[in-house]
Amino acid sequence: MDTLKVAIIGCGSIAQNRHLLEFEANEHVEITAVCDIVEERAMVTAEAFGAQSYTNYEDLLEKEEIDAVSVCLPNYLHAPVSIAALEAGCHVLCEKPMATSSEEAEKMIEAAERNSKKLMIAHNQRFVSSHERARKLIESGEAGKIYSFRTTFGHGGPEGWSVDGADSWFFKKGEAFIGAMGDLGVHKADLLRYLLGEEFVEVAGFVENNAKENVTVDDNAVCILRSESGVVGTLTASWAYNANEDNSTVIYGEKATLRLEDDPDYSLVVQYTNGEVVKYELGQIQSNEEGGQTNTGVIDHFVESIVEDKQPLIDGEEGKRSLEIILAAVESGETKQITRLAK
Ligand SMILES: NC(=O)c1ccc[n+]([C@@H]2O[C@H](COP(=O)([O-])OP(=O)(O)OC[C@H]3O[C@@H](n4cnc5c(N)ncnc54)[C@H](O)[C@@H]3O)[C@@H](O)[C@H]2O)c1
């Protein structure tokens, strides 16, 4: 198979810390072009990776022969840029959250189908070793029937991460659409769907802005989810866990409690009801604090799905379902009612 020509659109933090490095490390890929609305960023990145530099993604798609595109842009641009790239005949890896509405997500899925191209959403939490192992323990019945869970993702906020710091698009409703829930909550919504292997049907949410001033999006959210089989649990997302990041999940089952990314030394601790405790030393989860020191597995999976012509693990439909959970949480917060999701 010929080398895949890849373009990265958006040269901010996620592109620098993960996409560019992981594409460069992949033997099937050549980074052909990069794009950022800030010319200096695009040029410096292009130089570092031996690529062409663009400030307008439409020019890039028109002028370059690209096989696959990574969309590393503010949330409001995910759908329009992904659709333009799919229509230009490119496979697309789009960052999370997939879009800002179900309708947009649907249009992305349709564009992928119409053009027979892959569409993958970068939910990297599915590739974390402790999460993969926990899914197997649940799927095999080792943990017994699952009753409940609690999952959280929080840190001090994107001012410590985004290339634009405190001026970042992450804090602006028009560009981000959703704050901590869109940035972090959607990761856990996707993870829980994956771990439990079933869909959520009811969501109750308090999606608030009670920590940061001068931001127009949520920075603290607490939600209750109920799955179709009746598993209930809490999902929390925060940009105000100021002292330390918390990226932990606990699953409470009939035969075992599974503690994921909850212990500083052991990324998975399984406490069986018979008293036995198994501590797994698996690779550490990728975090903002670590930057790009670990491989997320996302880019390799995306490339493999193209090279081997396989459906990616997190396709458009999966991304849409995870998005709909956070949209339901926001709706619930606004209406003060439980929001129901289609099965
Ligand atoms: N998977 C993860 O764990 C993870 C982690 C962080 C961010 N993300 C996601 O990645 C995406 C990008 O976030 P980030 O942290 O890199 O943000 P960032 O603020 O660091 O970078 C965004 C970049 O996009 C550029 N940009 C804005 N509008 C543009 C346009 N019209 N054309 C070209 N470039 C444009 C900006 O100049 C900036 O360089 C977001 O969707 C975010 O949710 C995912």
Side-chain angles (χ1 to χ4, degrees):
M1 152 127 211
D2 294 340
T3 304
L4 288 176
K5 291 187 188 306
V6 169
I8 286 119
I9 304 183
C11 297
S13 286
I14 197 68
Q16 302 295 340
N17 284 298
R18 297 184 192 153
H19 291 240
L20 287 155
L21 302 177
E22 295 182 25
F23 274 120
E24 191 180 49
N26 190 295
E27 55 173 356
H28 300 288
V29 167
E30 175 194 306
I31 301 174
T32 303
V34 298
C35 172
D36 200 286
I37 201 166
V38 178
E39 188 171 17
E40 166 87 10
R41 270 176 212 161
M43 282 172 63
V44 169
T45 308
E47 183 143 345
F49 291 88
Q52 291 298 314
S53 165
Y54 288 85
T55 52
N56 180 313
Y57 73 88
E58 285 164 322
D59 285 350
L60 184 160
L61 293 172
E62 199 181 302
K63 292 191 185 137
E64 300 285 341
E65 293 269 313
I66 299 294
D67 299 305
V69 162
S70 243
V71 177
C72 298
L73 293 168
N75 301 341
Y76 78 111
L77 293 168
H78 289 182
V81 177
S82 295
I83 292 168
L86 289 161
E87 298 292 6
C90 304
H91 302 286
V92 168
L93 171 63
C94 179
E95 268 300 341
K96 42 50 62 174
M98 177 175 179
T100 62
S101 67
S102 295
E103 293 73 26
E104 274 190 349
E106 196 55 54
K107 286 187 182 140
M108 291 164 76
I109 294 167
E110 283 164 13
E113 281 169 2
R114 193 165 49 244
N115 293 287
S116 303
K117 296 293 162 197
K118 312 287 178 206
L119 169 62
M120 175 170 163
I121 313 304
H123 280 296
N124 52 298
Q125 295 242 338
R126 292 204 193 189
F127 299 97
V128 172
S129 306
S130 58
H131 296 169
E132 285 178 327
R133 186 64 65 98
R135 179 179 154 96
K136 285 193 187 119
L137 292 174
I138 293 168
E139 201 178 23
S140 67
E142 179 95 8
K145 185 173 160 46
I146 304 303
Y147 302 127
S148 67
F149 63 84
R150 64 176 167 82
T151 187
T152 194
F153 196 176
H155 53 54
E159 52 273 69
W161 162 266
S162 167
V163 69
D164 287 315
D167 287 333
S168 178
W169 63 271
F170 273 103
F171 300 117
K172 298 169 189 158
K173 195 168 174 107
E175 293 169 55
F177 191 70
I178 312 180
M181 268 305 269
D183 183 25
L184 308 178
V186 74
H187 274 301
K188 295 305 185 190
D190 185 72
L191 175 64
L192 261 297
R193 292 183 50 247
Y194 182 61
L195 288 178
L196 300 180
E198 59 173 313
E199 299 301 335
F200 289 103
V201 290
E202 288 180 296
V203 181
F206 290 88
V207 183
E208 315 275 326
N209 166 215
N210 67 4
K212 293 187 193 297
E213 289 174 6
N214 304 320
V215 308
T216 51
V217 289
D218 54 284
D219 54 18
N220 270 299
V222 177
C223 312
I224 304 171
L225 308 182
R226 184 171 167 280
S227 78
E228 50 192 327
S229 80
V231 181
V232 288
T234 57
L235 181 159
T236 56
S238 177
W239 284 342
Y241 291 178
N242 289 339
N244 294 101
E245 179 171 306
D246 189 346
N247 206 333
S248 64
T249 299
V250 184
I251 310 273
Y252 302 93
E254 178 191 6
K255 296 183 192 160
T257 296
L258 279 50
R259 296 184 174 274
L260 293 67
E261 306 298 333
D262 191 42
D263 181 288
D265 299 319
Y266 299 97
S267 51
L268 175 62
V269 175
V270 184
Q271 302 162 317
Y272 289 93
T273 43
N274 66 7
E276 191 191 345
V277 177
V278 179
K279 296 181 174 182
Y280 292 86
E281 265 186 283
L282 302 162
Q284 285 295 307
I285 196 164
Q286 311 90 18
S287 77
N288 285 2
E289 287 160 7
E290 284 176 314
Q293 284 149 25
T294 49
N295 186 311
T296 62
V298 167
I299 275 90
D300 288 347
H301 182 86
F302 174 60
V303 171
E304 188 183 306
S305 75
I306 298 169
V307 172
E308 297 182 10
D309 193 17
K310 293 191 306 204
Q311 189 75 346
L313 178 65
I314 312 122
D315 60 12
E317 220 35 83
E318 290 286 309
K320 178 169 171 267
R321 283 190 176 269
S322 297
L323 169 68
E324 282 170 344
I325 293 171
I326 62 165
L327 295 175
V330 170
E331 186 185 320
S332 166
E334 286 167 0
T335 61
K336 304 288 175 202
Q337 304 283 323
I338 291 171
T339 304
R340 290 191 164 69
L341 288 161
K343 278 191 193 177

